[in-house]
Amino acid sequence: QEGQPIYLAVKGVVFDVTSGKEFYGKGAPYNALVGKDSTRGVAKMSLDPADLTHDTTGLTEEELKSLDDVFNNVYKAKYPIVGYTSRRILNEDGSPNLDFKPEDQPHFNIKDEF
């Protein structure tokens, strides 16, 4: 909706990509990635609906490297982190992961986030 922030998740990290509205807004080329964890699609450089998921099962080493590069050099470098998906902060049974600490996450950089 007009005037609302645009969020997408990669690797369980939710980014506010509103400043990239020309890429992620309604009718924009990467709009299919928003509103969900699109990790697989980012890794494969795919907008196929079947790839717009968090699932990285079966990705090649090259695709995983591409995912890390885009995660660090595009999303983490350009867009603010606004949260985490439940996969990051909940256990398999849905209970809170009491060991979850943002500062222990592999992408976390206190300088960037506070």
Side-chain angles (χ1 to χ4, degrees):
Q1 290 181 340
E2 193 64 37
Q4 296 297 309
I6 303 169
Y7 295 155
L8 71 79
V10 178
K11 294 174 67 170
V13 180
V14 182
F15 295 95
D16 182 341
V17 296
T18 307
S19 65
K21 187 176 182 177
E22 67 276 12
F23 300 108
Y24 301 102
K26 187 174 182 177
Y30 302 117
N31 179 258
L33 299 172
V34 305
K36 60 184 75 70
D37 189 327
S38 295
T39 300
R40 185 179 196 82
V42 170
K44 295 181 74 168
M45 299 292 176
S46 168
L47 296 175
D48 181 328
D51 289 329
L52 302 181
T53 178
H54 69 278
D55 187 6
T56 58
T57 305
L59 292 178
T60 66
E61 286 296 318
E62 186 176 308
E63 288 167 336
L64 291 171
K65 182 182 179 330
S66 173
L67 172 62
D68 285 341
D69 288 347
V70 173
F71 179 79
N72 289 310
N73 300 322
V74 176
Y75 293 109
K76 195 175 149 198
K78 290 184 178 182
Y79 302 109
I81 294 171
V82 295
Y84 301 92
T85 64
S86 62
R87 284 187 194 290
R88 284 256 183 186
I89 60 176
L90 297 178
N91 294 314
E92 292 279 329
D93 65 3
S95 64
N97 176 0
L98 300 178
D99 296 324
F100 177 83
K101 295 181 185 82
E103 61 272 20
D104 292 341
Q105 299 302 302
H107 69 279
F108 187 86
N109 182 326
I110 200 160
K111 180 176 148 272
D112 292 342
E113 296 189 30
F114 292 100

